[in-house]
C-alpha cells in the first residue's frame, strides 16, 4: 500500500474530559513512542512489550517531562488501522495535548489527514466494504473548506503573513526556474546575494511563525458561535450576561453594534468563542448593509448560530422573524441553530404560550433577569455531547500547521545551505519545491503551472 | 486495377516531424506502413527556426534517439553548429542544441525513410477517414481514392483549415506556399470530437549577403562539440557556422507600433491564442513596453545557402512595416527580404480526448500526434509521432501498449500533461514541467529508455549493446572511486589548489569527488585514476557518466525516492469507464473532470486540476481494495 509514514492525531475531543487520547499509527509508531516514553516500572522498551498491553510512564524529551501518561500498544495487524498503533492517554488540557503532538511531529510523525485513521483501517481490510460510502463521506466532510477554516481561525496578521511568505517563496522558485529554463533569454537574473537575503528573510519569518504556533498565539481558540438578531434585541446584553462583564457596546439605539466583537468563554470546561454581529434585517442604510454582509460571513465561519429576537416583536411582527429564520435555515441547513426569545420579562403567560406555539424549538430567556441563560449554556454543551460540534478543531489546525511549517523550515534550511555552498539552481529547486509543497498544505495546492505562469507574467520570454 | 488494394497496418497522414517519426517507428517495428503527405518534396520541413534541441527539447531529442527514432541521427548529420546549453548548471540542465542546414535536414530524413523497410510513400491530400462503426479502417484522398488500413496516425500540423495572416491580408494555407487541408476537422467533429483553434507565427527570412555582421555579436558553437545520437554512426562536427546576435531599439519599436492598426493580432482578426513563451515582436513591445530593446538572433539556414532566419522577430504585421522596422535594426540597414513573417491559425483537438498511447478515446485505431494535439516545437511533435507510431504498430501486432511515466522520460511528462491537463496555448516542454528532472537527464536517456525500446522490438541489438557497455564501464568506474583510497600527501595539493579543506588521513576517493567544487579534472591528477582510465580505455561519455553519478548521487537518490512514492499511486488502476457521478462525497467539479478525462490511475487523477487531495482519498476508498 502507498501509506508508509506514521501519522498522529488527537483521538478524543479535547477539554471535555479528564483525559485525552493521542493516537499514532504506522510502521514507526512504536519506535517513535519509545523515543519519548519512560516507563515507571522498568526500562523495557515498548517494542518488546506484548501487543494489547498498557504501560504507565512519562512523556519526556531530554530532561523535560511533559506529562504522566498511560500508553497502550497494539501491534499489527490486530489494531484499529491494521498497522502498529500506540495510544497515549494524557491529561485533558489543550496545552499538554498540543505539546505532546508537536513532540511526536518533531520525532518524525506526520499530522493525520482528516479521516485518515479510518481510511487506513478501511484500506487494510479492517472495515467492511459497505462502510466505504460512510468513510468517503467522513473524509469529504472533514476536508471541506479545511484550508479556509484554518485561515479564518488565524489571528489578524498571521494569515496574511503566511500568504505573503508563500508568494515570496513562489517568486524565489520562479527566479530559479527562470535561470534554468530560460538561460538564453535577455532577462536579468537575480544574483546569489539577492537570493541569500530572500532566503534569510524567509527563514526568519518562518522561525517566528513556528515559535508563535508553538506557544499557541496564532490560532483563536474556542468553538465559534455567532449571535445573530435584529438590532437592539439585546445581543450585547446577552453576551454580557454570558461573559459576566461589560464588553460589547450596549445601547438603546438600534444598530449600534456595527463591528463584530468576539469573546472567549469557558462553559463546562469547553471553550466557546462568541461572535457578536449586527442583524440581518433588510435595510437601505449603507453602513448597516455592510454589517449584514459581515453577519452572514460570521455565520459561515461559526459552528453554531444563536438567533436572538425581542419577544415583544414576536407578538407584533412574527412574520418578519419567521422570514429571517427561514433565510438562515435555507442558507445553512446543516448548522445547529438555537432560537432564543429575549426580554420575556415584558410578556404575559398567554403571549409566551403563543410564541412557543408559533416558533418551533424557541427557548425563552431574559438577559436582564438571567432567566434561561443556564438553559442556553446547557443547550450548547448538549451539542458537544451529541457530537454536533467538534471542539478539537483548533488543536488540529494548530498542530497541522505547525507540522507543515516545521517541515517547510527544514527544507528551507537546505536551500540556505545549498546557496551558501554554491549549489546549482536545478538542485536548489528540489528543496524549494519541497518547501512550497509544505506551504501548500496550509494555503492549498501549488502546481508547476503556477511557476511558469509567474515567469510569463513578469518576464519577456521567447525568441 | 486499383492503386491500393492491400490493407496497410498503419497509415501515417502528414510527413512533418511527427509523421516522419511515426512512419519510421511503425515500419521499423515490422508492420506494413504507408506515409501519405501533400508534398513529398517537403518531408520533415523545419517550418520555423533551423535548429533542433535546446533546454528540455534537447533532452527529448536524446530520448527519441535512445528509443530508436531518427531525429537525433538526422540532427547530427545536418548540423552546422552544436552547443551544450546550461553547462554551468547541474547535469539535469545540460541541454544539447544544434543549428541545422534546413535543406539537408529534410533531405536526410527522406533518405533515411527511403532506406526503411516496410515503408511506402504516396503524395495526395487526405480528406477524410474510412470508418466502420467506431473503428477507423483507412483514409480517403481528395481524388477519391480509398486506402485501407488497420490504424491511422494523424499528424496534420498547422494544415487543418490553416489560415495565414500577413497584415490585413489573409489566405488559406498550411505553410507559406502550401495549401491548407480541409475535410478532416469537419468529419472528426461529426464523429463527436471537440476541436479548437490555435495560433503560431514565424519571422521573416532575409538575404545574409545584405547584412552587416560587423555590427552584431558573433555566437560561435562549442569548442568541443558533442552530438545527439548515442550510436556511433554519427560524428561530432569538425567545423561549424556561427550565429549572430543584435538588438531592436526604441526606433524599431516606434516603426512597428505604426503598423499596429493593421496588425491582425490587435485588430481582432486573429482570435486564437498563441504561446506566451514565443510571442511575436509586436506582442513583446506591447506587453513589455518598458523594455527598450529585444534580442534578435541571426541564424544561417545552412552550409551553402545565403538565406538567414531572424529569430526573435516573429510577426504578422504588414510586410512593409516588417521591412521598415527590420531595416532600422543594427546590421540590417540594407536588408533584402526572402520571405516576410506571418502568423497562422489552425485547428487542433484538445488532447484530453486521447489515451496515454495517443490513440483517441472515441475512435479505435486512430492516433493523433504533433500540433494537432495543441503542442508546438519539432521535438515535441517528433516524440509524439514516435510514441503514436510505436503504439499503432503494437496494436496491430496485438501486443501490450507502450507508455512512459513522468519519472521515466520527458516524453512521459509531455504525454501525461497533454491527456490529463489539456492545453490552452501551444504546449512547449520546459524542464520545470517535470517533477523529477534530476532523473531525466540528457546523459542517461539511453539507460532509461533503450532497454524498454529493445524489448518491444524497436531499438536495435547494436544500440542495446552499446548502452550496456556504457553502463557496465561507468558503474565499474564508480565502484573504483568507492573502493580506492587516496593518501593526504597526494590529495592535499589538489585540494589546496581548489580551496577545499585538507585531509588528515587517507579517505575513499568517492568522498573527495563528492565535494562540490572538485571535478574529474582534479581527480585525474591522482595517479590511480588516470591509470584506470588508460587501462580500461574509457571514453568521455563513460567518464562523464561516472562523474555525474558520484557528484549528484544524493540528489538522484532523493528524487528516486520521491518518484517511487508517485509510482505507488501509479500502481493503483482505475477501471475503464468508471462512473464518478455516483461518488456523492466528491466535489461536483472533481466528478465532472474525472468523468471527462477518465484517468487510468489514481496518480493521474491527482494531477487533474480541480481534483483535491480529499477527492483522491475518496477515490482511494473505492479503488483501495
Amino acid at each position: 500500500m502507498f501509506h508508509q509514514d506514521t501519522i498522529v492525531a488527537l483521538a478524543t475531543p479535547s477539554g471535555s474530559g479528564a483525559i485525552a487520547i493521542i493516537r499514532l499509527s504506522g510502521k514507526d509508531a512504536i519506535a517513535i513512542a519509545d523515543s519519548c516514553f519512560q516507563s515507571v516500572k522498568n526500562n523495557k522498551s515498548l517494542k518488546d512489550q506484548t501487543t494489547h498491553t498498557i504501560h504507565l510512564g512519562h512523556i519526556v524529551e531530554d530532561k523535560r517531562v511533559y506529562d504522566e501518561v498511560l500508553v497502550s500498544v497494539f501491534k499489527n495487524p490486530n489494531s484499529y488501522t491494521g498497522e502498529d498503533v500506540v495510544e497515549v492517554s494524557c491529561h485533558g488540557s489543550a496545552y499538554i495535548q498540543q505539546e505532546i503532538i508537536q513532540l511526536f511531529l518533531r520525532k518524525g510523525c506526520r499530522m493525520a489527514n482528516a479521516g485518515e485513521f479510518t481510511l487506513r483501517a478501511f484500506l487494510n481490510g479492517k472495515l467492511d466494504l459497505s462502510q466505504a460510502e460512510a468513510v468517503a463521506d467522513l473524509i469529504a466532510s472533514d476536508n471541506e473548506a479545511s484550508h479556509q477554516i484554518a485561515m479564518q481561525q488565524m489571528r489578524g496578521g498571521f494569515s496574511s503573513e503566511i500568504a505573503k511568505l508563500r508568494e515570496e517563496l513562489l517568486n524565489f522558485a520562479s527566479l530559479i526556474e527562470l535561470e534554468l529554463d530560460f538561460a538564453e533569454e535577455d532577462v536579468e537574473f537575480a544574483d546569489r546575494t539577492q537570493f541569500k537575503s530572500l532566503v534569510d528573510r524567509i527563514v526568519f519569518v518562518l522561525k517566528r511563525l513556528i515559535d508563535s504556533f508553538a506557544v499557541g498565539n496564532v490560532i483563536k481558540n474556542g468553538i465559534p458561535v455567532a449571535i445573530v438578531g435584529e438590532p437592539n434585541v439585546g445581543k450585547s446584553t446577552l453576551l454580557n450576561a454570558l461573559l459576566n462583564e461589560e464588553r460589547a457596546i450596549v445601547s438603546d439605539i438600534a444598530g449600534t453594534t456595527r463591528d463584530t466583537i468576539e469573546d472567549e468563554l469557558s462553559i463546562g470546561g469547553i471553550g466557546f468563542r462568541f461572535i457578536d454581529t449586527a442583524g440581518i434585517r433588510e435595510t437601505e442604510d449603507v453602513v448597516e448593509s455592510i454589517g449584514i454582509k459581515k453577519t452572514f460571513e460570521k455565520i459561515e465561519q461559526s459552528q453554531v448560530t444563536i438567533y436572538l429576537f425581542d419577544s415583544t416583536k414576536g407578538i407584533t411582527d412574527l412574520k418578519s422573524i419567521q422570514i429571517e429564520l427561514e433565510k438562515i435555515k435555507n442558507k445553512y441547513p446543516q448548522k445547529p441553530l438555537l432560537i432564543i426569545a429575549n426580554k420575556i420579562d415584558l410578556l404575559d403567560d398567554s403571549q409566551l404560550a403563543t410564541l412557543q406555539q408559533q416558533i418551533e424549538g424557541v427557548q425563552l430567556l431574559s438577559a436582564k433577569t438571567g432567566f434561561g441563560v443556564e438553559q442556553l449554556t446547557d443547550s450548547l454543551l448538549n451539542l458537544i455531547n451529541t457530537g454536533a460540534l467538534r471542539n478539537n478543531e483548533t488543536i488540529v489546525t494548530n498542530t497541522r500547521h505547525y507540522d507543515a511549517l516545521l517541515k517547510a523550515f527544514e527544507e528551507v534550511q537546505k536551500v540556505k545551505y545549498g546557496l551558501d555552498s554554491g549549489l546549482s539552481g536545478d538542485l536548489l529547486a528540489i528543496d524549494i519545491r519541497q518547501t512550497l509543497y509544505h506551504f501548500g498544505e496550509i494555503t492549498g495546492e501549488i502546481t508547476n503551472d503556477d511557476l511558469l505562469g509567474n515567469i510569463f507574467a513578469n518576464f519577456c520570454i521567447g525568441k | 486495377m486499383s492503386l491500393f488494394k492491400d490493407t496497410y497496418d498503419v497509415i501515417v497522414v502528414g510527413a512533418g516531424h511527427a509523421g516522419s517519426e511515426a512512419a519510421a517507428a511503425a515500419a521499423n517495428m515490422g508492420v506494413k506502413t504507408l506515409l501519405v503527405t501533400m508534398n513529398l518534396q517537403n518531408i520533415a520541413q523545419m517550418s520555423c527556426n533551423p535548429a533542433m534541441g535546446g533546454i528540455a527539447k534537447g533532452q527529448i531529442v536524446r530520448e527519441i534517439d535512445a528509443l530508436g527514432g531518427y531525429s537525433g541521427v538526422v540532427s547530427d548529420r545536418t548540423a552546422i553548429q552544436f552547443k551544450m546549453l546550461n553547462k554551468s548548471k547541474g547535469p539535469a540542465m545540460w541541454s544539447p542544441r544544434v543549428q541545422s542546414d534546413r535543406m539537408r535536414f529534410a533531405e536526410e530524413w527522406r533518405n533515411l525513410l527511403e532506406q526503411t523497410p516496410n515503408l511506402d510513400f504516396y503524395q495526395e491530400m487526405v480528406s477524410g477517414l474510412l470508418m466502420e462503426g467506431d473503428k477507423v479502417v483507412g483514409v480517403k484522398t481528395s481524388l477519391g481514392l480509398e486506402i485501407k488500413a488497420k490504424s491511422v496516425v494523424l499528424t496534420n500540423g498547422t494544415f487543418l483549415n490553416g489560415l495565414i495572416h500577413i497584415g490585413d491580408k489573409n489566405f488559406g494555407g498550411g505553410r507559406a506556399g502550401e495549401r491548407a487541408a480541409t475535410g478532416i476537422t469537419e468529419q472528426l467533429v461529426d464523429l463527436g470530437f471537440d476541436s479548437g483553434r490555435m495560433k503560431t507565427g514565424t519571422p521573416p527570412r532575409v538575404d545574409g549577403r545584405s547584412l552587416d555582421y560587423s555590427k552584431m555579436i558573433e555566437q560561435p558553437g562549442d569548442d568541443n562539440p558533442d552530438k545527439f545520437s548515442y550510436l556511433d554512426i554519427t560524428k561530432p562536427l569538425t567545423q561549424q557556422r556561427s550565429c549572430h546576435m543584435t538588438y531592436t531599439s526604441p526606433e524599431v519599436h516606434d516603426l512597428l507600433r505604426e503598423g499596429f492598426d493593421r496588425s491582425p493580432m490587435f485588430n481582432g482578426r486573429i482570435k486564437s491564442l498563441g504561446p506566451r513563451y514565443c510571442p511575436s515582436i509586436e506582442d513583446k513591445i506591447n506587453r513589455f513596453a518598458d523594455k527598450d530593446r529585444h534580442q534578435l538572433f541571426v541564424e544561417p539556414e545552412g552550409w551553402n545557402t545565403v538565406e538567414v532566419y531572424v529569430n526573435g522577430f516573429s510577426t504578422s504585421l504588414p510586410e512593409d512595416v516588417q521591412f521598415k522596422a527590420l531595416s532600422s535594426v543594427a546590421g540590417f540597414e540594407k536588408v533584402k527580404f526572402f520571405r516576410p513573417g506571418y502568423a497562422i491559425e489552425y485547428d487542433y483537438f484538445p488532447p484530453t480526448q486521447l489515451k496515454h498511447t495517443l490513440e483517441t478515446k472515441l475512435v479505435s485505431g486512430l492516433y493523433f500526434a504533433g500540433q494537432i494535439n495543441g503542442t508546438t516545437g519539432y521535438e515535441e511533435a517528433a516524440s509524439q509521432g514516435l510514441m503514436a507510431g510505436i503504439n499503432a504498430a503494437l496494436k496491430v501486432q496485438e501486443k501490450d501498449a507502450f507508455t512512459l511515466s513522468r519519472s521515466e522520460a520527458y516524453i512521459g511528462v509531455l504525454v501525461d500533461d497533454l491527456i490529463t491537463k489539456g492545453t490552452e496555448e501551444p504546449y512547449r516542454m520546459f524542464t520545470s514541467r517535470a517533477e523529477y528532472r534530476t532523473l531525466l537527464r540528457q546523459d542517461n536517456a539511453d539507460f532509461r529508455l533503450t532497454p524498454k525500446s529493445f524489448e518491444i522490438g524497436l531499438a536495435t541489438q547494436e544500440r542495446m549493446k552499446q548502452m550496456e557497455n556504457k553502463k557496465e564501464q561507468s558503474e565499474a568506474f564508480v565502484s573504483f572511486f568507492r573502493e580506492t583510497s587516496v593518501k593526504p600527501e597526494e590529495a592535499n595539493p589538489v585540494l589546496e589548489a581548489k580551496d577545499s579543506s585538507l585531509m588528515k588521513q587517507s579517505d575513499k576517493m568517492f568522498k573527495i569527488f563528492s565535494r562540490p567544487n572538485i571535478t574529474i579534472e582534479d581527480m585525474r591528477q591522482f595517479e590511480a585514476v588516470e591509470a584506470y582510465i588508460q587501462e580500461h580505455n574509457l571514453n568521455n561519455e563513460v567518464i562523464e557518466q561516472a562523474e555525474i553519478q558520484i557528484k549528484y548521487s544524493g540528489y538522484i537518490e532523493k528524487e528516486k525516492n520521491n518518484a517511487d512514492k508517485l509510482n505507488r499511486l501509479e500502481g493503483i488502476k482505475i477501471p475503464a469507464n468508471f462512473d464518478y457521478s455516483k461518488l456523492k462525497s466528491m466535489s461536483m467539479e472533481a466528478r465532472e473532470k474525472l468523468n471527462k478525462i477518465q484517468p487510468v490511475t489514481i496518480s493521474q487523477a491527482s494531477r487533474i486540476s480541480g481534483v483535491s487531495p480529499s477527492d483522491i482519498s475518496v477515490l482511494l476508498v473505492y479503488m483501495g481494495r
Side-chain angles (χ1 to χ4, degrees), chain B residues 564-579:
Chain B
D564 284 347
K565 273 185 212 158
L566 177 90
N567 288 340
R568 280 198 288 276
L569 287 179
E570 217 52 82
I572 306 175
K573 302 267 183 260
I574 303 173
N577 299 319
F578 187 81
D579 182 11

Side-chain angles (χ1 to χ4, degrees), chain B residues 291-307:
Chain B
K291 261 189 96 136
D292 55 12
R293 63 173 203 178
H294 295 280
Q295 287 177 321
L296 297 181
F297 295 90
V298 181
E299 303 177 356
E301 295 240 334
W303 288 117
N304 302 317
T305 176
V306 296
E307 192 170 0

